Amino acid sequence: MYGLNDVPEEQLTSYAESLLANEQEGRRVYEKREEDMVLDYVKETVTLAEKSVTIEELQNMNN
């Protein structure tokens, strides 16, 4: 749980089971984990390069 150390395994299991028993909450947890995995992959794969652009160039990017 949030910032708690040494929580008994049985309490964590009970909490996880009750959380996932609620279909909507289970879906939210799943989607958040999926989002985290995609972001981790993108961070490992993509290389960013800084580039200066003028206002005109930036405006033309939208066209």
Side-chain angles (χ1 to χ4, degrees):
M1 313 218 218
Y2 302 99
L4 298 176
N5 295 329
D6 301 322
V7 177
E9 183 71 28
E10 141 185 332
Q11 186 177 355
L12 286 175
T13 301
S14 174
Y15 178 73
E17 287 173 353
S18 67
L19 189 70
L20 295 175
N22 178 333
E23 183 179 336
Q24 198 171 30
E25 191 65 20
R27 185 176 299 120
R28 185 192 67 75
V29 169
Y30 176 84
E31 288 172 354
K32 174 64 175 134
R33 180 62 185 133
E34 185 177 41
E35 176 183 311
D36 290 346
M37 290 173 68
V38 168
L39 287 175
D40 288 344
Y41 175 77
V42 169
K43 287 176 184 178
E44 292 173 6
T45 307
V46 174
T47 303
L48 298 179
E50 287 188 34
K51 179 181 177 183
S52 297
V53 293
T54 66
I55 298 280
E56 292 79 20
E57 290 172 321
L58 183 60
Q59 290 171 337
N60 287 335
M61 288 181 196
N62 293 328
N63 297 329

